[in-house]
Amino acid sequence: MSIFSKADILLPDCVNMEKWSVVACDQYTAQPEYWKRVEEFVGSDPSTLKIVYPEAFLSEGDSRIAAINAEMQNYLDKKIFAELEGSLIYVERTMNSGKIRRGLIGQVDLECYDFSKGSKSEIRATEGTIIERIPPRVKIRENAPVELPHAILLMNDPKDKIMGSIAKERPLYDFDLMEGGGHISGWLVSGMMADALVDRIDAFAKTAKDNLVFAVGDGNHSLATAKTCWENIKNTIPEKEWSAHPARYCLVEIENIHDKALEFEPIHRVVFGQTLDSVAAELKKYYAVSDVPVDGSQEIVMTEGDKTERFYVTNPSSGLEVGTLQNFLDKMGYELDYIHGEEVTRELSNRGNAVGFILPCPEKNSLFETVISDGALPRKTFSMGEANEKRFYLEAKKIK
C-alpha cells in the first residue's frame, strides 16, 4: 500500500468559488471580526464556512457540530459536489508577493502516521501534539460524512524530482481567494499520469532518511484527529475491511520544503489578563535573566502596545527560544493565544491587560534534520506563511 495515493476527490460544481473557499479554521482565533466579515460575504451561498468549525466560535458547542454535519449531508444530497474518481490535483497558489507555491492533493494512509513522541513512522508530527485538543476535534469529525483538508505535508526533495515532474492536464479551478488570500489554480492529474506520479513518490519514499517521508508542515492537530478517529473505527470492524474503509485515508496537500515560494514565519504569543511588568517579574523568578545579551543566552521580546522590552535568559530550558518561552508560559498557566503576524500581535497587546511575545523566524531547511534528531518541535514553533497564506478549504473526500 502506498503512503500517498490517488483519491476520489469531491469538488463543488456550479458555485461561487470565492465564497466557497475559506481559510483554515484555526486561523484568526482571537479575531472573531474576521469570521463575521466572512459570514457576511458568503451570505446564503454554498460555502465551506458552513461545514467547518472556526475555532473563534468553539464556545457555541455541540449545536454547531450538528448543523455542520447536517449541511455536509445536504450538500451531498443536493449534488453540490462532482466526484473525481481516482485522481490527484496539482495546485498553484499565487501569494500576494507574486510567488507561486506548488502543491499536490491526494490521500495519505493513516497507518503510516504516528503522532506519538519518538515516532519513527513515515509521516511525523513536527510539533508536540496537545492531547487535550484532540477530543473536541474528534467530536466534530466522528459523525461527519466528508472531510475537508487544511493539512499540508512537507517532503525533503532538494532536486525537485516530484513537483518538477508534474504536467498540467485539465484545469479544474482558477480564482481569487477571499480576504486577501491571493489566487489559486488547480489541474487534474489522472489515469496513467497519476499512477506514474504515485510510483515516483513511492520510489522517493524508499530513499528517505530515517524513514521520514513526510513532515506535517501545517494541520498537525487536524491530522492527529483523523488518526484518532481511524483508530476508533478500527476497533469496530474486522481487519479484512480496513484497507477499503475511506476513513483510513486522509486528504492532504503535499509540498516540497525547498520550494522557493514556501516561507516559514514565527508564531507569536499573546498573554491576556496580565501586564508586561507582571509577566517580566515572573520570568525573572523562573529563569536567570540578564538585561544584556551574554554567551549562550536567548532573547525574549515582550510588547505592550508601543512598548517593547528585551530580556536575555541565561539558563534556557530548550535549544530554541520558542521552547524556552513556552515552558515558562505553560508553567504559569496564563490565558494565551498563538498569533500569526507581528503587527497583529502588537495590536492585540495594545488592547489593555495583554502582553505580546515576538519570536524569531525559524530556519526551514533544518526542519527534517531537527525532527529526526530531536523529535517534534515545541508546539506552535513555525507557520508556513502569514494567516492569509494558510491553506483554504476547497476539496473534500467522503469518510463514511
Side-chain angles (χ1 to χ4, degrees):
M1 188 70 68
S2 297
I3 302 168
F4 180 84
S5 61
K6 301 181 296 184
D8 296 334
I9 302 174
L10 303 176
L11 272 183
D13 190 25
C14 299
V15 304
N16 182 320
M17 293 297 280
E18 187 178 358
K19 292 186 176 183
W20 171 262
S21 190
V22 303
V23 78
C25 66
D26 58 351
Q27 301 304 302
Y28 302 101
T29 55
Q31 297 164 272
E33 63 274 13
Y34 172 93
W35 292 101
K36 290 297 184 183
R37 289 198 309 272
V38 172
E39 284 183 345
E40 292 173 3
F41 175 66
V42 165
S44 61
D45 287 359
S47 175
T48 55
L49 176 66
K50 300 170 184 178
I51 51 177
V52 300
Y53 203 151
E55 293 185 8
F57 302 128
L58 281 179
S59 60
E60 294 182 14
D62 292 356
S63 61
R64 185 155 184 155
I65 296 174
I68 288 168
N69 290 340
E71 192 69 352
M72 286 179 172
Q73 191 59 53
N74 179 45
Y75 286 174
L76 290 171
D77 293 342
K78 289 186 174 181
K79 302 189 186 303
I80 290 286
F81 296 108
E83 188 168 51
L84 305 172
E85 295 183 2
S87 300
L88 305 170
I89 297 177
Y90 169 66
V91 175
E92 289 185 353
R93 173 81 176 273
T94 305
M95 304 303 182
N96 292 319
S97 64
K99 294 181 179 179
I100 298 176
R101 200 170 76 197
R102 301 164 301 157
L104 185 67
I105 310 284
Q107 65 183 17
V108 289
D109 186 349
L110 291 170
E111 288 292 309
C112 300
Y113 166 62
D114 180 1
F115 59 83
S116 62
K117 189 174 182 179
S119 166
K120 292 296 182 181
S121 58
E122 295 96 328
I123 306 169
R124 293 181 214 168
T126 52
E127 67 177 29
T129 302
I130 308 170
I131 301 302
E132 295 77 14
R133 296 182 67 183
I134 302 302
R137 288 163 172 76
V138 168
K139 188 178 290 188
I140 295 169
R141 183 183 177 91
E142 61 187 356
N143 293 314
V146 300
E147 65 173 3
L148 295 100
H150 75 257
I152 296 177
L153 307 191
L154 299 174
M155 66 178 76
N156 188 16
D157 184 15
K159 295 184 178 180
D160 201 29
K161 293 180 178 179
I162 304 302
M163 292 299 168
S165 68
I166 300 175
K168 297 175 181 177
E169 183 179 336
R170 174 167 67 86
L172 296 171
Y173 49 77
D174 183 34
F175 63 97
D176 289 332
L177 296 162
M178 68 170 72
E179 289 286 329
H183 189 90
I184 192 164
S185 304
W187 291 265
L188 178 69
V189 183
S190 63
M192 295 177 61
M193 291 176 63
D195 291 336
L197 192 50
V198 169
D199 288 344
R200 280 198 293 274
I201 294 173
D202 284 343
F204 171 82
K206 293 175 182 177
T207 68
K209 184 177 180 180
D210 196 49
N211 197 41
L212 176 55
V213 181
F214 296 118
V216 184
D218 224 343
N220 275 281
H221 287 87
S222 174
L223 202 64
T225 299
K227 173 69 170 182
T228 301
C229 286
W230 167 237
E231 290 297 325
N232 292 341
I233 290 170
K234 280 170 60 176
N235 294 328
T236 66
I237 60 175
E239 186 173 349
K240 64 182 180 180
E241 297 179 10
W242 288 4
S243 63
H245 199 290
R248 173 173 171 167
Y249 309 94
C250 186
L251 204 62
V252 300
E253 179 176 340
I254 62 172
E255 296 183 3
N256 184 7
I257 196 171
H258 298 282
D259 192 319
K260 293 180 180 179
L262 177 59
E263 298 178 352
F264 277 18
E265 301 285 347
I267 300 179
H268 308 296
R269 273 81 168 143
V270 173
V271 163
F272 299 99
Q274 301 291 327
T275 65
L276 191 153
D277 289 343
S278 68
V279 174
E282 294 297 336
L283 180 72
K284 291 175 181 179
K285 293 177 185 177
Y286 192 79
Y287 288 122
V289 176
S290 169
D291 292 331
V292 295
V294 299
D295 288 345
S297 65
Q298 291 179 349
E299 184 182 58
I300 303 294
V301 180
M302 295 190 203
T303 70
E304 193 173 52
D306 295 332
K307 182 180 179 182
T308 299
E309 292 195 14
R310 302 172 188 276
F311 304 91
Y312 300 90
V313 174
T314 60
N315 60 336
S317 57
S318 170
L320 298 173
E321 289 89 342
V322 62
T324 295
L325 173 62
Q326 193 65 49
N327 289 337
F328 164 68
L329 297 176
D330 288 345
K331 181 67 175 180
M332 296 304 299
Y334 293 132
E335 177 190 355
L336 75 147
D337 202 358
Y338 302 93
I339 307 298
H340 299 273
E342 181 175 336
E343 183 178 341
V344 176
T345 303
R346 291 185 180 276
E347 192 276 325
L348 289 172
S349 76
N350 197 31
R351 295 185 179 182
N353 285 330
V355 182
F357 294 86
I358 307 299
L359 285 156
C361 190
E363 174 53 57
K364 74 171 186 176
N365 289 336
S366 64
L367 177 67
F368 273 73
E369 289 297 335
T370 303
V371 171
I372 289 170
S373 62
D374 299 344
L377 303 173
R379 69 179 182 274
K380 301 294 183 181
T381 296
F382 70 92
S383 168
M384 288 169 27
E386 301 286 356
N388 64 346
E389 297 175 333
K390 310 299 280 188
R391 192 169 204 286
F392 276 56
Y393 297 110
L394 206 168
E395 307 85 0
K397 182 180 78 70
K398 293 177 184 177
I399 53 175
K400 290 288 186 183

